[in-house]
Amino acid sequence: DAIGFRQQDEAAYLQEFADIVEASYAVVDDPIEEKGLLVECKNSLSVINNEDVVYLSPSSGQNNNVVTAEQAQLQCSQSQHCIVPTNVTLEMNANLNIGALLVKGTLKWNDSIQLTSESYLCAGFLVADGGEIDVRVSEKKAWIYLKDNGAIHPHLKSRVFGGIGTNSRVEIRGRHLERTWTLLDEPLNVGDSNLK
């Protein structure tokens, strides 16, 4: 049975906290996963050069505005900042392990683009800066792993996932979850840009 808490239910939430945490699940803490996809992210903590920036560029002869994750991996290493330029779409068709990712264009990741049953994106940060991050994976497993590699966004800092700027958009949709929970210090209203 799902348990929900409202803003005024802090005492009940705190009383049930240990049971809620016990019933929660985090794949990155699962010993079975130590042999899986995320082990590559955890073990690839190359120190990033915050000045080494690569702008992704589509291959000639293909859709001029699309870069696949496979192509991006060839262009951008684990020690580089990777930028998806305006009017370019990065399609997550494969795993991608880079230093950091700044999206000024579009990052698109869905069940039809993703070619395998499980796929990941590893980066020191993943930020939409005037661009769009659109993840809609419900039939497969898609992982975003923020690694501790020294990558620093100038405004949002390190190990951050989100958007900055008025035209940025981050949308994440996945499979239906039976158990989700959170308790906010303050109510969240439509149009709010900060959680507390």
Side-chain angles (χ1 to χ4, degrees):
D1 293 317
I3 298 174
F5 298 95
R6 294 173 296 171
Q7 181 67 29
Q8 60 270 25
D9 296 336
E10 183 176 8
Y13 171 78
L14 292 174
Q15 182 178 352
E16 299 291 327
F17 187 77
D19 292 335
I20 292 169
V21 170
E22 181 68 27
S24 299
Y25 174 72
V27 171
V28 295
D29 296 329
D30 189 335
I32 295 170
E33 186 54 37
E34 289 298 319
K35 294 183 175 87
L37 294 171
L38 297 180
V39 74
E40 185 173 332
C41 295
K42 288 181 179 182
N43 293 334
S44 66
L45 299 179
S46 301
V47 176
I48 190 163
N49 177 350
N50 284 301
E51 303 300 317
D52 192 358
V53 176
V54 174
Y55 287 84
L56 294 179
S57 60
S59 299
S60 59
Q62 294 185 353
N63 182 336
N64 290 343
N65 295 337
V66 174
V67 175
T68 66
E70 292 169 323
Q71 293 167 338
Q73 191 67 75
L74 294 173
Q75 295 177 41
C76 195
S77 77
Q78 294 179 31
S79 63
Q80 295 174 309
H81 280 261
C82 216
I83 297 177
V84 180
T86 305
N87 298 323
V88 171
T89 297
L90 171 59
E91 291 187 345
M92 286 298 300
N93 69 328
N95 297 333
L96 182 57
N97 191 349
I98 55 178
L101 186 59
L102 188 68
V103 181
K104 293 180 176 287
T106 303
L107 182 146
K108 196 176 219 181
W109 194 349
N110 60 43
D111 288 314
S112 61
I113 290 171
Q114 182 176 316
L115 300 177
T116 58
S117 62
E118 296 187 38
S119 192
Y120 62 79
L121 189 159
C122 304
F125 63 75
L126 173 55
V127 174
D129 186 352
E132 176 181 350
I133 297 171
D134 187 4
V135 181
R136 297 171 192 240
V137 179
S138 59
E139 302 298 321
K140 299 177 180 178
K141 291 184 179 179
W143 313 98
I144 296 173
Y145 186 87
L146 301 173
K147 51 188 176 175
D148 187 9
N149 63 354
I152 299 174
H153 184 276
H155 302 289
L156 302 176
K157 303 306 173 199
S158 63
R159 296 187 86 179
V160 64
F161 172 59
I164 189 167
T166 55
N167 294 323
S168 297
R169 187 171 84 83
V170 176
E171 186 163 345
I172 307 291
R173 294 186 186 209
R175 65 182 170 83
H176 176 74
L177 298 175
E178 293 298 325
R179 184 185 316 116
T180 62
W181 57 272
T182 189
L183 181 66
L184 302 176
D185 284 343
E186 296 177 7
L188 185 66
N189 299 305
V190 174
D192 286 352
S193 58
N194 294 314
L195 297 173
K196 292 184 181 179

